[in-house]
Amino acid sequence: MKKLRSTAYTDAFGHAIRRLGARLQSLIPPGAVLVILAIATGILAGVAAWILKYTIGHLGSFTMRFAQLNGPNWFMAVIPFVGILLAVCYQHFVVRGSLEHGTERLSRDLARHQYYMRRNMCYRPLLGCIITLGFGGSAGSEAPIATAGAAIGSNIGRTFGVPADMVRILIGCGAGAGIAGIFKSPVGGALFTLEVLKMKYDTMSVLALVVASICGSLTCYMLTGFTFDVQFLPTSFFDPHSLGWVALLGVFCGLYSIYYNKIIGVLHRFFNNIDNIWLRAGAGGAILGLCIFIFPALYGEGYGVVTQLVNDETFRFVSAGLFAGLEPSGLLFIFLAAGVLLLKVFATISTNSSGGVAGDFAPTIFAGAFAGLFFSWSVNYTLHAELPVPLFCLFGMAGAFSGIIHAPLMATFLVAEMVGNGYGFFLPLTVTAGISYITVKIINPSGRYRGADHDDLAALLHTAVSTEKKPESKP
């Protein structure tokens, strides 16, 4: 009886909201309605991003209390293994479905014009991500928050009874606001929707997307105490005479990106060939645990390690694990940086494809910082140059992101914004990201995601041309 009453109250509330939405649409121009709903979507997505950050941080701090950080420690390998198993249990017994690879799923649903997402998708990906990353999964929180943000936008649109085309726009606003909140990067969040999800937007839709991304970013920024995940305190200015070395770093990041994506394909096939979900989780957990045992810097999202690299604390990434206590040595540490660079993709895909619920943007930023570290250390050691290592770690973040994700615009703005004061280095960030992207496209011109006809910049140009030729049709 109580359940029937609760259902009746819920239906009555939903009916009242839809009537309010219809009333607003009759009194207010459609563009104003879109912007109002985009603001609400952005704020809620920003709150969701803060909850995700807060919970992962506290759970991660709790699990790390049991880890020994001054030498080899198998416990740090066991924690992520347990996290993968718990994430699989959550999806198998609670969700009764898969939450992996959220960005690809979202892109696929949008291509099929599936604009109405279930309400439980507003929180289910977040819970899976908290389990995965809270226990040390070597990945990011972007795909879950993008999916949750998209679900928030979809359900706001459905609740207020707006047309399907406006619901589609709100999905993009929610996804962009989620990314903007998790990275505290409003422009980066908006470009995620345009450059990665490849959504076709007109002028008013882009305005709503930008507003939602700003609201998502500022909401999470305020709730986290006006702080950034990567605290960057530059100790030197960029010397324009080193722009040639920055261009070479872009080429190196492009070549590394090709390696990274090739390994992704190999590991995807490996895990897809394991039909038993528990064996798949065990295999992924074992690979992940071994990588973290060798290099504990691979534990979790890795923003703390990235912060150390861009602030000239470059030797601290081996302060724990097998190589703890080593005396700083140029050639040895170059090899160790190369080891982290090569193993990062194994740790990330073992997290994402064996049952974990996470994203792959933060790993590319982490890998890019080590790409800059390896490149600048190698040049300084072999040619006795004086490249500023912390700055090249920063530039490498944009280069690897651009080449791996195939999103040079998003890479440039996201890195500049997520460190809080990166716009002063916008030129080298742009050069690194652009040349990395061009290098990848020359060698491997196909799209990053399977079946993608257009990719990143190509998608934007194609969208612009098609929009000029004919008006966008409603789904």
Side-chain angles (χ1 to χ4, degrees):
M1 191 67 179
K2 290 183 178 180
K3 185 176 182 180
L4 291 176
R5 289 180 180 176
S6 176
T7 304
Y9 291 147
T10 302
D11 292 342
F13 178 75
H15 181 66
I17 292 295
R18 284 190 290 273
R19 287 182 60 186
L20 176 61
R23 183 66 174 169
L24 287 175
Q25 293 179 67
S26 65
L27 297 175
I28 303 176
V33 173
L34 176 60
V35 171
I36 291 172
L37 296 183
I39 291 173
T41 299
I43 292 174
L44 290 178
V47 172
W50 169 70
I51 292 173
L52 184 60
K53 280 182 173 292
Y54 180 86
T55 314
I56 289 174
H58 279 69
L59 181 58
S61 298
F62 174 77
T63 54
M64 284 297 291
R65 290 179 182 179
F66 306 98
Q68 179 183 349
L69 300 178
N70 56 358
N73 183 11
W74 281 106
F75 192 78
M76 287 194 71
V78 173
I79 296 175
F81 184 91
V82 173
I84 297 294
L85 291 178
L86 290 176
V88 171
C89 289
Y90 168 70
Q91 294 173 83
H92 185 69
F93 296 111
V94 179
V95 177
R96 299 187 182 278
S98 175
L99 298 172
E100 300 176 47
H101 306 295
T103 302
E104 291 189 41
R105 290 173 180 271
L106 184 57
S107 298
R108 202 158 48 239
D109 290 344
L110 290 171
R112 296 171 180 171
H113 306 295
Q114 297 176 0
Y115 303 142
Y116 296 97
M117 303 176 67
R118 291 173 296 179
R119 290 186 177 89
N120 55 30
M121 291 303 291
C122 295
Y123 60 87
R124 280 184 169 178
L126 305 183
L127 294 176
C129 184
I130 289 168
I131 296 171
T132 304
L133 298 186
F135 280 82
S138 187
S141 53
E142 309 81 34
I145 191 59
T147 303
I152 290 171
S154 173
N155 282 279
I156 285 179
R158 179 168 58 181
T159 300
F160 282 89
V162 299
D165 191 52
M166 192 177 292
V167 174
R168 177 185 69 86
I169 296 170
L170 290 174
I171 286 176
C173 290
I179 294 296
I182 211 71
F183 285 110
K184 297 162 190 174
S185 170
V187 179
L191 287 172
F192 167 79
T193 297
L194 297 173
E195 201 174 11
V196 178
L197 295 184
K198 309 175 185 67
M199 295 187 70
K200 297 181 180 180
Y201 273 16
D202 56 21
T203 303
M204 196 65 206
S205 303
V206 171
L207 175 61
L209 171 62
V210 171
V211 169
S213 298
I214 291 173
C215 290
S217 176
L218 291 180
T219 299
C220 190
Y221 180 57
M222 289 186 293
L223 291 175
T224 53
F226 302 93
T227 60
F228 293 94
D229 292 321
V230 178
Q231 300 289 338
F232 175 52
L233 302 174
T235 56
S236 60
F237 295 100
F238 172 68
D239 183 3
H241 294 93
S242 64
L243 199 59
W245 289 115
V246 172
L248 288 177
L249 173 63
V251 174
F252 176 75
C253 288
L255 296 175
Y256 173 73
S257 299
I258 294 171
Y259 157 80
Y260 193 102
N261 282 330
K262 290 292 184 183
I263 298 299
I264 285 178
V266 171
L267 291 177
H268 274 327
R269 290 191 293 272
F270 170 74
F271 287 114
N272 288 337
N273 289 332
I274 304 177
D275 295 327
N276 188 292
I277 60 172
W278 306 109
L279 290 178
R280 188 187 309 133
I287 296 173
L288 173 62
L290 180 60
C291 292
I292 292 177
F293 177 75
I294 298 173
F295 292 111
L298 298 173
Y299 188 95
E301 293 180 283
Y303 286 134
V305 177
V306 173
T307 300
Q308 293 173 0
L309 296 185
V310 299
N311 289 290
D312 207 16
E313 299 177 14
T314 49
F315 295 104
R316 291 188 60 184
F317 77 93
V318 290
S319 60
L322 288 176
F323 305 101
L326 290 178
E327 292 295 329
S329 171
L331 188 59
L332 173 61
F333 276 78
I334 290 174
F335 281 115
L336 292 179
V340 175
L341 199 57
L342 296 175
L343 287 182
K344 178 58 179 177
V345 61
F346 288 88
T348 297
I349 303 306
S350 297
T351 301
N352 288 337
S353 295
S354 65
V357 183
D360 52 6
F361 289 178
T364 66
I365 290 171
F366 179 95
F370 273 91
L373 178 70
F374 173 80
F375 179 85
S376 56
W377 267 358
S378 299
V379 170
N380 290 345
Y381 183 81
T382 57
L383 302 179
H384 303 288
E386 296 182 356
L387 300 182
V389 175
L391 293 185
F392 272 71
C393 292
L394 178 71
F395 307 154
M397 291 160 61
F401 189 106
S402 172
I404 296 170
I405 306 299
H406 293 193
L409 296 178
M410 181 183 175
T412 303
F413 283 95
L414 188 143
V415 172
E417 292 177 326
M418 72 175 293
V419 299
N421 53 1
Y423 275 112
F425 303 95
F426 198 75
L427 173 61
L429 289 173
T430 303
V431 170
T432 310
I435 292 181
S436 174
Y437 171 75
I438 292 172
T439 302
V440 170
K441 284 301 175 182
I442 290 174
I443 299 175
N444 184 21
S446 62
R448 179 175 190 264
Y449 297 112
R450 294 182 294 273
D453 295 328
H454 297 278
D455 195 19
D456 31 79
L457 285 179
L460 292 180
L461 294 174
H462 175 73
T463 299
V465 172
S466 62
T467 302
E468 290 177 1
K469 288 182 178 180
K470 60 181 180 179
E472 183 181 351
S473 58
K474 294 185 178 180

